[in-house]
Amino acid sequence: MNCALEILQSRFGYHKFRQHQSAIIAAVLEGRDVLALMPTGGGKSLCYQIPALIRDGAGVIISPLIALMHDQVAAMRLLGIRAAYLNSTLDFATVRETEAALLEGELDLLYIAPERLANERTLDLLDRSKIALFAIDEAHCVSHWGHDFRPEYKRLSFLHERYGAVPRIALTATADGPTRREIISELALENADQFIASFDRPNICYTIAQGAGGREALWKFLAREHEEDAGIVYCLSRKKVEDIARWLTNKGRTALPYHAGLHKDERQHNMERFLRGEGVIIVATIAFGMGIDKPDVRFVAHLNLPKSIEAYYQETGRAGRDGLPANAWMSYGLQEVIMFRQWLRGSEAGETHKRVQHGKLEALLGFCELTTCRRQALLAYFGEELPAPCGNCDNCINPPETYDGTIEAQKALSTVYRTGQMFGVQYLIDVLGGKADERILRNGHDALSTFGIGADVKPVEWRGIFRQLIAQGFLTSDTQGHGSLKLTEKSRPVLRGKQQVQLRKRRKPAPAKARRRPRTAITLSQADQPLWDTLRTLRLDLAREQNVPPYVIFHDSTLKELVSAKPATLDEMAEISGIGNTKLKKYGQVFLDAVTGSPDQP
Ligand code: ADP
Ligand code: ZN
């Protein structure tokens, strides 16, 4: 283990291990199988990289992220680690070269796409090579429950049968029980040591804005907090992805679309610009994001409801891997909730599946409408307890007011009932507001006892009330997709005055004074700004020259430390987190010159 710490410090330039890293490494070094559940950004990669360097032979990493392998390998090489990959993008000559290097014992790490393991050539290669360990990255891909199911993962139990003596380490950031059990049984990990880290991501601030106007709200959020930052915007449909990307571009941001309908080359190109540029926004369907290890994604915004709390957690988790402050922001409205319910009720899935989906949807809507700490609820969903409210979510920072909305709920529900449970929200609001338009007159609904009884409440408020009634399960929408609302079992006691309904007030924008200051991740004094800019430009130039993303050279956190510590010598520089021996040798002098303002620097 001393050896492991030495490698952490000299190769990676980090001072100490994080939670579970050293225990996991120790287990693998002893030849045991491991299942490691850690959040995104938790530091999973070191858990196989370091034992692969210490044990004899190469560490073989099975990863579904073909598009990212090149950068992963480049990052390892910059640390002086002998890494290579095998996937379908390589030409035959390179494949042969890589195979030869493996056979000669000249590789520390080999990344392989899972489908490749099915072919005889690869098996024959592995049979003849010295293998230090197998790392099964994104191990949740083996699970049907998860969102990233990959059939090739089902075959991976053969590793155990064929190479019983080689330790295996399965890693994932998906922690829920069913997925975990499926990973264990599918990969035959019954005897593996299990390590489960806390899934809290304290640097991510969670905000969920209800009823706010979609893209305008997004724009305000970006203008307020992320004028220059890189981030991801998630939308449900391809069309919306394209629209939002275009809209943001017209507003002066670099925003690129990403969805399964784009040509493969364009997708790859957009992803690369996101990874390699600075301040690029990617607008994407959920097809984007797994395994993206860009550490400086400063925000993840949802313009639609995610599929489940797990999905929300995974998607938002792509923000702030570097540990610096980041935002998870979402906006959704009434229409969203109605559509979601319809989609669920109309779906073709079998009964069991539907029940599971239904439970997940309830949980998600409950989470969105929550008036207490979001982080506590999020962690509780994964079975973790956070003793005190977090202080870093919208409900903690700006607590919503709730009120007894029983009367309003009764008015709304009763209007649904009296109009025959055949109408959508807009119509119901018109009846409540006493709007005697042609349709209402034709239906004779101006004669209803509820006609006009809601005129004291603004239509926009009524929308909020209906949204909450649907979210809380007092109303449901029809399956035919007309959006008409119906009562549920739950609504009866409310109508009979036997049950109270608690509603949240619409959040008024906080007065300008009380508004939080933008929490940009990098706070610098005015005096340090020029040096920061110089170092960033230097990093970008080097990254371009070497065809790698800038963060592969140094993370923002490393640059920030360089700016504040202003090392005067290479020895002082070596103390900074993220600068190991190889990088010190390679980049130390140029960055030192930039910091000390040596005259031959531009
Ligand atoms: P994961 O794969 O779990 O999402 P990574 O392995 O990519 O996370 O690690 C996330 C970030 O944290 C990376 O930038 C990595 O370099 C950094 N990191 C990992 N372990 C440590 C450590 N012990 N000290 C400092 N930084 C670390
Ligand atoms: Zn909180």
Side-chain angles (χ1 to χ4, degrees), residues 373-375 389-393 396:
C373 178
R374 301 228 190 249
R375 190 179 316 272
C390 74
N392 193 26
C393 73
C396 281

Side-chain angles (χ1 to χ4, degrees), residues 580-595:
N581 291 344
T582 310
K583 285 195 179 169
L584 187 69
K585 238 183 257 148
K586 205 164 168 132
Y587 306 121
Q589 196 59 49
V590 274
F591 277 88
L592 191 64
D593 289 346
V595 172

Side-chain angles (χ1 to χ4, degrees), residues 126-141:
L126 296 181
D127 286 348
R128 290 186 293 136
S129 310
K130 179 87 194 135
I131 299 168
L133 57 87
F134 288 107
I136 302 162
D137 205 5
E138 312 288 350
H140 62 279
C141 290

Side-chain angles (χ1 to χ4, degrees), residues 271-286:
M271 177 161 82
E272 271 176 24
R273 277 187 68 194
F274 174 67
L275 295 177
R276 277 152 211 239
E278 305 252 19
V280 176
I281 298 175
I282 199 108
V283 186
T285 56
I286 51 171

